[in-house]
Amino acid sequence: MAIVTAFAVAVLGLAFVFRGAWLTAEIEGEAAQVAEHFRHGVRVREMREEARAAIGDARTEAGLGDFPEVAERVIRSVVRISTGGFLEARGSGFVVSNAGDILTAAHVVEGTDRPEVAFVDGSQFRGTVLRRNDRLDVALIHVEAEGLPALALGSSSNLRIGTEVAVAGFPVNQSMEGLGFRALTPTLVQGIVAARQSYRPTSISQPVRVLQIDANLNPGHSGGPVFIRSTGEVVGIANSSIEGLFTGKTDICFAVPIDSARRVIE
């Protein structure tokens, strides 16, 4: 009997030992899993931060996110154009050479060969219309000034639909002017290149190509530069818009492709 009792005690002792070892191993395994999950979570967070940093660097290198700087540079080159007189035509233009050459829409200078040109800094000049093409709605003006801030001309031939663009110009609003505002500062509107269109000025003329811009142009923006938001390169000259029949808001806007304007001035 004593032998049986001793044997039972020994077996129970071994069982407790093995159970203790098994519990220890299980606890250690769970602890290892927890540690691994923790390390994995930390690594995932690190990878996310690395990805955010890489994306930020890529956007910086591509020039994205610097639109205020681009816009400021463009605005310095935008001019206000008027023909003088009581019913003066008013619009905008932009400098294309530091020697005083300015591009605008032909209808902005209709009725005069010596338009008045005002710059953002307040300086004013009497310009001379060097070239004008009414069919394409492009005009080149020259003022006697040096060291003007000129804009870079891009290309409209390979311009993709959906490209983000902006338009700069001096707005004309009779209600605002009644309150004393006289468009002394250019304003910006932005949108995308929505389509390429063509129309015939007359039934017997050749088609004229234009860019359709999804932007809310204001009266007075005509002649202003249509430029790529990320680079500031000019790809068109704002020249017309169509207002909704009942809304009175601009629904469709058009611009002269800069490649067409380049052929006129060259």
Side-chain angles (χ1 to χ4, degrees), residues 181-214:
F181 295 96
R182 190 175 163 78
L184 298 178
T185 303
T187 61
L188 292 173
V189 294
Q190 59 182 334
I192 62 171
V193 177
R196 299 178 186 272
Q197 305 283 9
S198 62
Y199 75 100
R200 294 179 183 270
T202 66
S203 60
I204 60 174
S205 62
Q206 293 294 319
V208 175
R209 296 187 179 277
V210 294
L211 298 174
Q212 182 177 328
I213 307 297
D214 179 21

Side-chain angles (χ1 to χ4, degrees), residues 21 58 61 66 71 93 99 102 137 154 162-163 205 228 247:
E61 292 176 4
D66 295 328
I102 296 168
D137 199 16
T163 300
S205 62
I228 297 176
T247 64

Side-chain angles (χ1 to χ4, degrees), residues 54-110:
I55 292 171
D57 292 342
R59 294 178 69 87
T60 301
E61 292 176 4
L64 301 177
D66 295 328
F67 179 55
E69 181 179 343
V70 172
E72 183 179 354
R73 186 172 72 247
V74 170
I75 285 176
R76 288 198 297 264
S77 302
V78 177
V79 300
R80 181 180 183 273
I81 299 173
S82 59
T83 59
F86 178 69
L87 297 176
E88 64 174 358
R90 279 174 281 171
S92 305
F94 55 98
V95 179
V96 293
S97 79
N98 54 21
D101 293 322
I102 296 168
L103 265 181
T104 186
H107 73 269
V108 171
V109 294
E110 184 176 2

